[in-house]
Amino acid sequence: MGNVLKIQYIILIGLIATLFFSCGDTECSESTNATLAAVFYIDEDNISSGDSLLVYGLHNDSLLIKVSTPTIINFPLKLEEHTTSFVFDFTGDLQVDLVKDTVRFFHQNSPHFISEACGCAMFYTIDSIRYTRHKIDSIAVVNKDIINEELENIQIFF
């Protein structure tokens, strides 16, 4: 009878421990968004102070940003495709289209489990970047891994 009581006691302790440790946070404290952070470096001879910049997805009319002096943009990348493209549309003082550049990001997608409360996020790795060079001079990859932290990934020189 003593062994049965010990076994029941061990099972009871195990159940209590399981209940105690299985109760976790139900709120997500981490970001589940992984966006490509681009920092702009502008040569004032190339872009005048009156120019404004519209950035939107190629084959997609959703406006990402409209600014007069861009410094940083966070680009959302496609979840189910390995290429994401954006149009940089420069407009002058007279609101006339001056020139457009297109930037294509080629990337690998990898789902990443964050936590039970947060679920999964998509992380990316930049394979390459192709772009036109009307106003854009060059693009440098600083950090090819795009995760849910605010890190500079690319530098765009105008």
Side-chain angles (χ1 to χ4, degrees):
M1 228 20 168
N3 286 340
V4 173
L5 190 57
K6 285 182 185 179
I7 292 173
Q8 289 176 340
Y9 180 70
I10 291 171
I11 292 173
L12 180 63
I13 295 295
L15 288 173
I16 291 172
T18 302
L19 289 173
F20 178 74
F21 289 113
S22 68
C23 295
D25 289 338
T26 58
E27 292 184 26
C28 178
S29 60
E30 288 189 54
S31 172
T32 57
N33 293 328
T35 57
L36 183 147
V39 177
F40 293 168
Y41 296 89
I42 299 172
D43 178 358
E44 292 173 5
D45 292 335
N46 194 22
I47 297 176
S48 71
S49 60
D51 291 353
S52 64
L53 172 64
L54 297 170
V55 179
Y56 51 90
L58 185 64
H59 307 298
N60 179 347
D61 62 352
S62 59
L63 180 67
L64 182 61
I65 192 167
K66 179 181 180 178
V67 291
S68 56
T69 54
T71 55
I72 187 166
I73 294 180
N74 289 307
F75 292 96
L77 299 179
K78 292 184 178 179
L79 297 171
E80 297 179 6
E81 296 180 31
H82 296 284
T83 303
T84 307
S85 303
F86 294 95
V87 175
F88 288 66
D89 187 350
F90 294 90
T91 306
D93 287 329
L94 302 175
Q95 299 301 309
V96 176
D97 282 351
L98 294 177
V99 69
K100 296 179 183 179
D101 274 309
T102 303
V103 178
R104 283 182 168 65
F105 299 105
F106 297 89
H107 51 86
Q108 295 300 314
N109 308 346
S110 57
H112 179 77
F113 179 75
I114 296 176
S115 68
E116 186 177 328
C118 296
C120 291
M122 188 66 75
F123 287 3
Y124 307 92
T125 301
I126 300 171
D127 290 330
S128 63
I129 302 172
R130 292 194 184 132
Y131 52 94
T132 58
R133 292 188 166 127
H134 301 290
K135 287 279 188 177
I136 295 175
D137 177 61
S138 61
I139 298 177
V141 177
V142 177
N143 181 6
K144 68 178 186 169
D145 296 318
I146 303 165
I147 59 174
N148 61 338
E149 295 177 14
E150 293 186 24
L151 301 172
E152 177 182 6
N153 298 107
I154 64 170
Q155 297 172 336
I156 302 178
F157 298 90
F158 294 95

Short mmCIF file of all heavy atoms in Angstrom, two decimals, residues 71-130:
data_model
loop_
_atom_site.label_atom_id
_atom_site.label_comp_id
_atom_site.label_asym_id
_atom_site.label_seq_id
_atom_site.Cartn_x
_atom_site.Cartn_y
_atom_site.Cartn_z
N THR A 71 13.77 59.83 -45.26
CA THR A 71 14.95 59.43 -44.52
C THR A 71 14.99 57.91 -44.35
O THR A 71 16.03 57.30 -44.52
CB THR A 71 14.99 60.09 -43.13
OG1 THR A 71 13.78 59.79 -42.44
CG2 THR A 71 15.18 61.59 -43.24
N ILE A 72 13.85 57.31 -44.01
CA ILE A 72 13.80 55.86 -43.82
C ILE A 72 12.40 55.36 -44.19
O ILE A 72 11.41 56.03 -43.93
CB ILE A 72 14.18 55.45 -42.38
CG1 ILE A 72 14.28 53.93 -42.27
CG2 ILE A 72 13.20 56.00 -41.38
CD1 ILE A 72 14.96 53.46 -40.99
N ILE A 73 12.35 54.21 -44.84
CA ILE A 73 11.08 53.57 -45.18
C ILE A 73 11.19 52.10 -44.78
O ILE A 73 12.23 51.46 -45.01
CB ILE A 73 10.74 53.66 -46.68
CG1 ILE A 73 10.49 55.10 -47.10
CG2 ILE A 73 9.53 52.80 -47.02
CD1 ILE A 73 10.16 55.25 -48.57
N ASN A 74 10.13 51.56 -44.20
CA ASN A 74 10.04 50.13 -43.91
C ASN A 74 9.17 49.48 -44.98
O ASN A 74 7.98 49.78 -45.07
CB ASN A 74 9.46 49.90 -42.52
CG ASN A 74 10.44 50.30 -41.45
OD1 ASN A 74 11.57 49.86 -41.45
ND2 ASN A 74 10.02 51.15 -40.55
N PHE A 75 9.77 48.64 -45.79
CA PHE A 75 9.07 47.99 -46.89
C PHE A 75 8.51 46.64 -46.45
O PHE A 75 9.27 45.77 -46.00
CB PHE A 75 10.03 47.73 -48.06
CG PHE A 75 10.50 48.96 -48.76
CD1 PHE A 75 11.72 49.54 -48.42
CD2 PHE A 75 9.75 49.55 -49.75
CE1 PHE A 75 12.17 50.68 -49.05
CE2 PHE A 75 10.18 50.69 -50.40
CZ PHE A 75 11.40 51.25 -50.05
N PRO A 76 7.20 46.43 -46.60
CA PRO A 76 6.66 45.09 -46.35
C PRO A 76 6.95 44.20 -47.56
O PRO A 76 6.75 44.60 -48.70
CB PRO A 76 5.15 45.36 -46.20
CG PRO A 76 4.91 46.58 -47.03
CD PRO A 76 6.18 47.40 -46.94
N LEU A 77 7.44 43.01 -47.31
CA LEU A 77 7.73 42.08 -48.40
C LEU A 77 6.61 41.06 -48.51
O LEU A 77 5.89 40.79 -47.55
CB LEU A 77 9.07 41.38 -48.15
CG LEU A 77 10.28 42.31 -48.06
CD1 LEU A 77 11.54 41.50 -47.80
CD2 LEU A 77 10.43 43.14 -49.32
N LYS A 78 6.48 40.50 -49.71
CA LYS A 78 5.40 39.54 -49.95
C LYS A 78 5.66 38.24 -49.19
O LYS A 78 6.77 37.73 -49.16
CB LYS A 78 5.26 39.26 -51.45
CG LYS A 78 4.75 40.47 -52.20
CD LYS A 78 4.53 40.16 -53.66
CE LYS A 78 3.98 41.39 -54.36
NZ LYS A 78 3.76 41.13 -55.78
N LEU A 79 4.57 37.71 -48.62
CA LEU A 79 4.67 36.49 -47.81
C LEU A 79 4.81 35.23 -48.65
O LEU A 79 5.51 34.30 -48.26
CB LEU A 79 3.44 36.36 -46.91
CG LEU A 79 3.23 37.44 -45.86
CD1 LEU A 79 1.87 37.27 -45.20
CD2 LEU A 79 4.34 37.39 -44.84
N GLU A 80 4.10 35.19 -49.77
CA GLU A 80 4.02 33.94 -50.54
C GLU A 80 4.81 33.97 -51.84
O GLU A 80 4.73 33.03 -52.61
CB GLU A 80 2.55 33.62 -50.81
CG GLU A 80 1.78 33.37 -49.52
CD GLU A 80 0.31 33.08 -49.76
OE1 GLU A 80 -0.10 32.96 -50.92
OE2 GLU A 80 -0.41 32.95 -48.77
N GLU A 81 5.53 35.06 -52.08
CA GLU A 81 6.35 35.15 -53.28
C GLU A 81 7.77 35.49 -52.89
O GLU A 81 8.04 35.89 -51.76
CB GLU A 81 5.78 36.22 -54.23
CG GLU A 81 4.39 35.87 -54.74
CD GLU A 81 3.83 36.93 -55.68
OE1 GLU A 81 4.62 37.58 -56.37
OE2 GLU A 81 2.61 37.09 -55.70
N HIS A 82 8.69 35.32 -53.82
CA HIS A 82 10.10 35.57 -53.53
C HIS A 82 10.62 36.83 -54.21
O HIS A 82 11.83 37.08 -54.20
CB HIS A 82 10.95 34.36 -53.92
CG HIS A 82 10.61 33.15 -53.10
ND1 HIS A 82 11.03 33.00 -51.80
CD2 HIS A 82 9.87 32.06 -53.39
CE1 HIS A 82 10.57 31.86 -51.32
NE2 HIS A 82 9.86 31.26 -52.26
N THR A 83 9.71 37.61 -54.79
CA THR A 83 10.07 38.90 -55.39
C THR A 83 9.03 39.93 -54.97
O THR A 83 7.83 39.67 -55.06
CB THR A 83 10.09 38.81 -56.94
OG1 THR A 83 10.99 37.78 -57.33
CG2 THR A 83 10.52 40.13 -57.55
N THR A 84 9.52 41.07 -54.50
CA THR A 84 8.64 42.19 -54.15
C THR A 84 9.19 43.43 -54.83
O THR A 84 10.38 43.70 -54.74
CB THR A 84 8.59 42.41 -52.62
OG1 THR A 84 8.24 41.17 -51.98
CG2 THR A 84 7.58 43.46 -52.26
N SER A 85 8.31 44.16 -55.53
CA SER A 85 8.74 45.32 -56.31
C SER A 85 8.01 46.58 -55.87
O SER A 85 6.82 46.54 -55.55
CB SER A 85 8.48 45.09 -57.79
OG SER A 85 9.15 43.91 -58.22
N PHE A 86 8.75 47.70 -55.90
CA PHE A 86 8.19 48.99 -55.54
C PHE A 86 8.58 50.03 -56.58
O PHE A 86 9.64 49.95 -57.20
CB PHE A 86 8.70 49.45 -54.16
CG PHE A 86 8.22 48.58 -53.04
CD1 PHE A 86 8.99 47.54 -52.57
CD2 PHE A 86 6.97 48.79 -52.46
CE1 PHE A 86 8.56 46.73 -51.54
CE2 PHE A 86 6.52 47.98 -51.44
CZ PHE A 86 7.32 46.95 -50.98
N VAL A 87 7.70 51.02 -56.74
CA VAL A 87 7.95 52.15 -57.64
C VAL A 87 8.25 53.37 -56.79
O VAL A 87 7.52 53.67 -55.84
CB VAL A 87 6.74 52.42 -58.55
CG1 VAL A 87 6.97 53.66 -59.40
CG2 VAL A 87 6.45 51.20 -59.42
N PHE A 88 9.32 54.06 -57.13
CA PHE A 88 9.68 55.34 -56.51
C PHE A 88 9.31 56.41 -57.53
O PHE A 88 9.95 56.53 -58.57
CB PHE A 88 11.18 55.40 -56.22
CG PHE A 88 11.61 54.52 -55.08
CD1 PHE A 88 11.54 53.14 -55.17
CD2 PHE A 88 12.10 55.09 -53.92
CE1 PHE A 88 11.95 52.33 -54.12
CE2 PHE A 88 12.52 54.29 -52.86
CZ PHE A 88 12.44 52.92 -52.96
N ASP A 89 8.30 57.18 -57.23
CA ASP A 89 7.76 58.17 -58.16
C ASP A 89 8.09 59.57 -57.62
O ASP A 89 7.57 60.00 -56.60
CB ASP A 89 6.24 57.98 -58.26
CG ASP A 89 5.60 58.85 -59.32
OD1 ASP A 89 6.27 59.74 -59.86
OD2 ASP A 89 4.41 58.63 -59.59
N PHE A 90 8.97 60.26 -58.32
CA PHE A 90 9.38 61.60 -57.91
C PHE A 90 8.52 62.64 -58.61
O PHE A 90 8.38 62.61 -59.83
CB PHE A 90 10.85 61.84 -58.25
CG PHE A 90 11.77 60.95 -57.47
CD1 PHE A 90 12.14 59.71 -57.96
CD2 PHE A 90 12.23 61.35 -56.23
CE1 PHE A 90 12.98 58.88 -57.23
CE2 PHE A 90 13.07 60.53 -55.50
CZ PHE A 90 13.44 59.29 -56.00
N THR A 91 7.95 63.54 -57.86
CA THR A 91 7.10 64.60 -58.37
C THR A 91 7.70 65.93 -57.99
O THR A 91 8.11 66.13 -56.84
CB THR A 91 5.68 64.48 -57.76
OG1 THR A 91 5.20 63.16 -57.99
CG2 THR A 91 4.73 65.47 -58.38
N GLY A 92 7.74 66.85 -58.94
CA GLY A 92 8.36 68.16 -58.70
C GLY A 92 7.38 69.16 -58.11
O GLY A 92 6.25 68.84 -57.75
N ASP A 93 7.83 70.41 -58.02
CA ASP A 93 7.04 71.50 -57.46
C ASP A 93 5.70 71.67 -58.17
O ASP A 93 4.71 72.06 -57.56
CB ASP A 93 7.81 72.83 -57.54
CG ASP A 93 8.96 72.88 -56.54
OD1 ASP A 93 8.82 72.26 -55.47
OD2 ASP A 93 9.97 73.53 -56.85
N LEU A 94 5.65 71.41 -59.46
CA LEU A 94 4.42 71.61 -60.24
C LEU A 94 3.53 70.38 -60.23
O LEU A 94 2.58 70.30 -61.00
CB LEU A 94 4.78 71.99 -61.68
CG LEU A 94 5.64 73.25 -61.82
CD1 LEU A 94 6.04 73.46 -63.27
CD2 LEU A 94 4.90 74.46 -61.28
N GLN A 95 3.83 69.40 -59.35
CA GLN A 95 3.08 68.15 -59.23
C GLN A 95 3.03 67.38 -60.56
O GLN A 95 2.04 66.78 -60.92
CB GLN A 95 1.65 68.42 -58.72
CG GLN A 95 1.62 69.04 -57.34
CD GLN A 95 2.30 68.18 -56.30
OE1 GLN A 95 2.02 67.00 -56.18
NE2 GLN A 95 3.23 68.76 -55.55
N VAL A 96 4.12 67.45 -61.28
CA VAL A 96 4.26 66.73 -62.54
C VAL A 96 5.23 65.57 -62.29
O VAL A 96 6.25 65.74 -61.63
CB VAL A 96 4.83 67.66 -63.64
CG1 VAL A 96 5.07 66.88 -64.92
CG2 VAL A 96 3.90 68.83 -63.86
N ASP A 97 4.89 64.40 -62.81
CA ASP A 97 5.80 63.26 -62.66
C ASP A 97 7.12 63.60 -63.32
O ASP A 97 7.17 63.91 -64.51
CB ASP A 97 5.21 62.01 -63.32
CG ASP A 97 4.14 61.36 -62.47
OD1 ASP A 97 3.97 61.77 -61.32
OD2 ASP A 97 3.49 60.43 -62.97
N LEU A 98 8.19 63.57 -62.54
CA LEU A 98 9.51 63.83 -63.09
C LEU A 98 10.12 62.55 -63.62
O LEU A 98 10.50 62.46 -64.77
CB LEU A 98 10.42 64.43 -62.02
CG LEU A 98 10.05 65.81 -61.50
CD1 LEU A 98 11.00 66.25 -60.40
CD2 LEU A 98 10.09 66.82 -62.64
N VAL A 99 10.20 61.57 -62.77
CA VAL A 99 10.84 60.32 -63.15
C VAL A 99 10.43 59.24 -62.15
O VAL A 99 10.09 59.54 -61.00
CB VAL A 99 12.38 60.49 -63.22
CG1 VAL A 99 12.96 60.70 -61.84
CG2 VAL A 99 13.04 59.35 -63.94
N LYS A 100 10.48 58.01 -62.59
CA LYS A 100 10.15 56.87 -61.72
C LYS A 100 11.31 55.89 -61.75
O LYS A 100 11.90 55.66 -62.79
CB LYS A 100 8.87 56.18 -62.18
CG LYS A 100 7.64 57.04 -62.08
CD LYS A 100 6.42 56.31 -62.58
CE LYS A 100 5.22 57.25 -62.51
NZ LYS A 100 4.00 56.63 -63.00
N ASP A 101 11.59 55.33 -60.60
CA ASP A 101 12.52 54.22 -60.49
C ASP A 101 11.76 53.02 -59.97
O ASP A 101 10.81 53.17 -59.19
CB ASP A 101 13.67 54.55 -59.51
CG ASP A 101 14.81 55.27 -60.18
OD1 ASP A 101 15.28 54.79 -61.22
OD2 ASP A 101 15.24 56.31 -59.65
N THR A 102 12.17 51.84 -60.38
CA THR A 102 11.58 50.60 -59.88
C THR A 102 12.66 49.80 -59.17
O THR A 102 13.78 49.68 -59.67
CB THR A 102 11.00 49.77 -61.05
OG1 THR A 102 10.04 50.56 -61.75
CG2 THR A 102 10.33 48.51 -60.54
N VAL A 103 12.32 49.29 -57.98
CA VAL A 103 13.25 48.48 -57.21
C VAL A 103 12.61 47.12 -56.99
O VAL A 103 11.46 47.03 -56.54
CB VAL A 103 13.57 49.15 -55.84
CG1 VAL A 103 14.50 48.26 -55.03
CG2 VAL A 103 14.17 50.52 -56.05
N ARG A 104 13.36 46.06 -57.33
CA ARG A 104 12.89 44.69 -57.13
C ARG A 104 13.78 44.01 -56.09
O ARG A 104 14.99 43.94 -56.26
CB ARG A 104 12.96 43.89 -58.43
CG ARG A 104 11.87 44.18 -59.40
CD ARG A 104 12.02 43.28 -60.63
NE ARG A 104 10.90 43.26 -61.51
CZ ARG A 104 10.42 44.27 -62.21
NH1 ARG A 104 10.97 45.43 -62.10
NH2 ARG A 104 9.38 44.12 -63.01
N PHE A 105 13.12 43.52 -55.03
CA PHE A 105 13.83 42.78 -53.99
C PHE A 105 13.59 41.29 -54.22
O PHE A 105 12.45 40.84 -54.28
CB PHE A 105 13.30 43.16 -52.60
CG PHE A 105 13.48 44.61 -52.26
CD1 PHE A 105 12.41 45.48 -52.28
CD2 PHE A 105 14.73 45.10 -51.93
CE1 PHE A 105 12.57 46.81 -51.96
CE2 PHE A 105 14.91 46.44 -51.61
CZ PHE A 105 13.83 47.30 -51.63
N PHE A 106 14.65 40.52 -54.37
CA PHE A 106 14.57 39.07 -54.48
C PHE A 106 14.95 38.51 -53.12
O PHE A 106 16.03 38.83 -52.59
CB PHE A 106 15.51 38.56 -55.57
CG PHE A 106 15.15 39.09 -56.94
CD1 PHE A 106 15.69 40.29 -57.40
CD2 PHE A 106 14.27 38.40 -57.74
CE1 PHE A 106 15.35 40.79 -58.64
CE2 PHE A 106 13.92 38.89 -59.00
CZ PHE A 106 14.45 40.09 -59.45
N HIS A 107 14.06 37.69 -52.55
CA HIS A 107 14.24 37.28 -51.16
C HIS A 107 13.76 35.86 -50.92
O HIS A 107 12.92 35.34 -51.65
CB HIS A 107 13.51 38.24 -50.21
CG HIS A 107 12.07 38.47 -50.58
ND1 HIS A 107 11.05 37.65 -50.18
CD2 HIS A 107 11.49 39.45 -51.32
CE1 HIS A 107 9.90 38.11 -50.64
NE2 HIS A 107 10.13 39.20 -51.35
N GLN A 108 14.32 35.26 -49.88
CA GLN A 108 13.85 33.97 -49.39
C GLN A 108 12.95 34.23 -48.19
O GLN A 108 13.21 35.13 -47.40
CB GLN A 108 15.03 33.09 -48.97
CG GLN A 108 15.94 32.69 -50.13
CD GLN A 108 15.20 31.91 -51.19
OE1 GLN A 108 14.45 30.98 -50.90
NE2 GLN A 108 15.40 32.29 -52.44
N ASN A 109 11.89 33.45 -48.07
CA ASN A 109 10.94 33.59 -46.97
C ASN A 109 11.09 32.39 -46.03
O ASN A 109 11.16 31.26 -46.50
CB ASN A 109 9.50 33.63 -47.49
CG ASN A 109 9.31 34.66 -48.58
OD1 ASN A 109 10.13 35.53 -48.79
ND2 ASN A 109 8.19 34.58 -49.28
N SER A 110 11.11 32.66 -44.74
CA SER A 110 11.17 31.54 -43.79
C SER A 110 10.30 31.84 -42.58
O SER A 110 10.53 32.82 -41.87
CB SER A 110 12.61 31.25 -43.36
OG SER A 110 13.19 32.39 -42.79
N PRO A 111 9.27 31.01 -42.36
CA PRO A 111 8.42 31.22 -41.18
C PRO A 111 9.22 30.98 -39.91
O PRO A 111 10.09 30.11 -39.87
CB PRO A 111 7.30 30.19 -41.35
CG PRO A 111 7.76 29.23 -42.38
CD PRO A 111 8.86 29.86 -43.15
N HIS A 112 8.92 31.79 -38.92
CA HIS A 112 9.66 31.71 -37.65
C HIS A 112 8.67 31.74 -36.50
O HIS A 112 7.86 32.66 -36.39
CB HIS A 112 10.63 32.90 -37.55
CG HIS A 112 11.41 32.93 -36.29
ND1 HIS A 112 12.49 32.12 -36.06
CD2 HIS A 112 11.26 33.68 -35.18
CE1 HIS A 112 12.98 32.38 -34.87
NE2 HIS A 112 12.25 33.32 -34.31
N PHE A 113 8.72 30.72 -35.64
CA PHE A 113 7.85 30.67 -34.46
C PHE A 113 8.40 31.61 -33.41
O PHE A 113 9.55 31.50 -32.99
CB PHE A 113 7.76 29.24 -33.91
CG PHE A 113 6.89 29.13 -32.69
CD1 PHE A 113 5.51 29.19 -32.80
CD2 PHE A 113 7.45 29.00 -31.43
CE1 PHE A 113 4.71 29.10 -31.69
CE2 PHE A 113 6.66 28.90 -30.30
CZ PHE A 113 5.27 28.95 -30.43
N ILE A 114 7.56 32.56 -32.96
CA ILE A 114 7.99 33.53 -31.95
C ILE A 114 7.63 33.03 -30.56
O ILE A 114 8.47 32.89 -29.69
CB ILE A 114 7.39 34.91 -32.23
CG1 ILE A 114 7.94 35.44 -33.56
CG2 ILE A 114 7.70 35.88 -31.10
CD1 ILE A 114 7.38 36.74 -34.01
N SER A 115 6.34 32.77 -30.33
CA SER A 115 5.88 32.24 -29.05
C SER A 115 4.45 31.76 -29.23
O SER A 115 3.82 32.02 -30.25
CB SER A 115 5.95 33.31 -27.95
OG SER A 115 4.99 34.32 -28.19
N GLU A 116 3.93 31.11 -28.21
CA GLU A 116 2.55 30.64 -28.28
C GLU A 116 1.59 31.82 -28.38
O GLU A 116 0.63 31.80 -29.13
CB GLU A 116 2.22 29.80 -27.05
CG GLU A 116 0.85 29.16 -27.10
CD GLU A 116 0.59 28.26 -25.91
OE1 GLU A 116 1.54 27.65 -25.40
OE2 GLU A 116 -0.58 28.17 -25.52
N ALA A 117 1.87 32.88 -27.64
CA ALA A 117 0.99 34.05 -27.65
C ALA A 117 1.10 34.84 -28.95
O ALA A 117 0.11 35.36 -29.46
CB ALA A 117 1.31 34.96 -26.46
N CYS A 118 2.31 34.92 -29.51
CA CYS A 118 2.53 35.72 -30.72
C CYS A 118 2.30 34.94 -32.01
O CYS A 118 2.01 35.52 -33.04
CB CYS A 118 3.95 36.27 -30.73
SG CYS A 118 4.31 37.42 -29.40
N GLY A 119 2.49 33.64 -31.94
CA GLY A 119 2.37 32.83 -33.14
C GLY A 119 3.63 32.90 -33.99
O GLY A 119 4.73 32.99 -33.47
N CYS A 120 3.44 32.89 -35.31
CA CYS A 120 4.56 32.88 -36.24
C CYS A 120 4.70 34.21 -36.95
O CYS A 120 3.73 34.95 -37.09
CB CYS A 120 4.37 31.79 -37.28
SG CYS A 120 4.54 30.13 -36.62
N ALA A 121 5.89 34.48 -37.43
CA ALA A 121 6.17 35.63 -38.27
C ALA A 121 6.98 35.14 -39.45
O ALA A 121 7.63 34.10 -39.38
CB ALA A 121 6.95 36.69 -37.50
N MET A 122 6.92 35.89 -40.53
CA MET A 122 7.74 35.56 -41.69
C MET A 122 9.02 36.37 -41.62
O MET A 122 8.97 37.59 -41.49
CB MET A 122 6.99 35.86 -42.99
CG MET A 122 7.69 35.35 -44.22
SD MET A 122 7.78 33.54 -44.31
CE MET A 122 6.10 33.14 -44.76
N PHE A 123 10.17 35.70 -41.66
CA PHE A 123 11.46 36.36 -41.74
C PHE A 123 11.94 36.20 -43.18
O PHE A 123 11.51 35.30 -43.90
CB PHE A 123 12.47 35.74 -40.77
CG PHE A 123 12.22 36.09 -39.32
CD1 PHE A 123 11.15 36.86 -38.91
CD2 PHE A 123 13.10 35.64 -38.36
CE1 PHE A 123 10.94 37.17 -37.58
CE2 PHE A 123 12.90 35.95 -37.02
CZ PHE A 123 11.82 36.72 -36.63
N TYR A 124 12.86 37.08 -43.59
CA TYR A 124 13.32 37.10 -44.98
C TYR A 124 14.83 37.20 -45.03
O TYR A 124 15.47 37.68 -44.10
CB TYR A 124 12.75 38.31 -45.72
CG TYR A 124 11.25 38.44 -45.63
CD1 TYR A 124 10.66 39.19 -44.62
CD2 TYR A 124 10.42 37.82 -46.56
CE1 TYR A 124 9.28 39.32 -44.53
CE2 TYR A 124 9.04 37.94 -46.47
CZ TYR A 124 8.48 38.69 -45.45
OH TYR A 124 7.12 38.80 -45.37
N THR A 125 15.38 36.76 -46.15
CA THR A 125 16.79 36.96 -46.45
C THR A 125 16.87 37.54 -47.86
O THR A 125 16.30 36.98 -48.80
CB THR A 125 17.57 35.63 -46.39
OG1 THR A 125 17.42 35.08 -45.08
CG2 THR A 125 19.05 35.85 -46.68
N ILE A 126 17.55 38.67 -47.99
CA ILE A 126 17.70 39.31 -49.30
C ILE A 126 18.71 38.51 -50.12
O ILE A 126 19.85 38.31 -49.70
CB ILE A 126 18.19 40.76 -49.16
CG1 ILE A 126 17.20 41.60 -48.34
CG2 ILE A 126 18.42 41.39 -50.53
CD1 ILE A 126 17.72 42.98 -47.97
N ASP A 127 18.27 38.06 -51.30
CA ASP A 127 19.18 37.39 -52.22
C ASP A 127 19.88 38.41 -53.12
O ASP A 127 21.09 38.36 -53.30
CB ASP A 127 18.43 36.38 -53.10
CG ASP A 127 17.97 35.17 -52.31
OD1 ASP A 127 18.64 34.80 -51.33
OD2 ASP A 127 16.93 34.59 -52.67
N SER A 128 19.08 39.32 -53.69
CA SER A 128 19.64 40.34 -54.56
C SER A 128 18.61 41.46 -54.73
O SER A 128 17.44 41.31 -54.36
CB SER A 128 20.02 39.77 -55.93
OG SER A 128 18.88 39.28 -56.59
N ILE A 129 19.09 42.56 -55.29
CA ILE A 129 18.23 43.71 -55.56
C ILE A 129 18.55 44.20 -56.96
O ILE A 129 19.73 44.34 -57.33
CB ILE A 129 18.49 44.86 -54.54
CG1 ILE A 129 18.26 44.37 -53.12
CG2 ILE A 129 17.59 46.06 -54.85
CD1 ILE A 129 18.67 45.37 -52.06
N ARG A 130 17.51 44.47 -57.74
CA ARG A 130 17.67 45.06 -59.07
C ARG A 130 16.87 46.35 -59.10
O ARG A 130 15.77 46.41 -58.53
CB ARG A 130 17.19 44.11 -60.15
CG ARG A 130 18.07 42.89 -60.26
CD ARG A 130 17.82 42.12 -61.53
NE ARG A 130 18.64 40.93 -61.51
CZ ARG A 130 18.20 39.72 -61.78
NH1 ARG A 130 16.95 39.53 -62.11
NH2 ARG A 130 19.01 38.69 -61.75
#
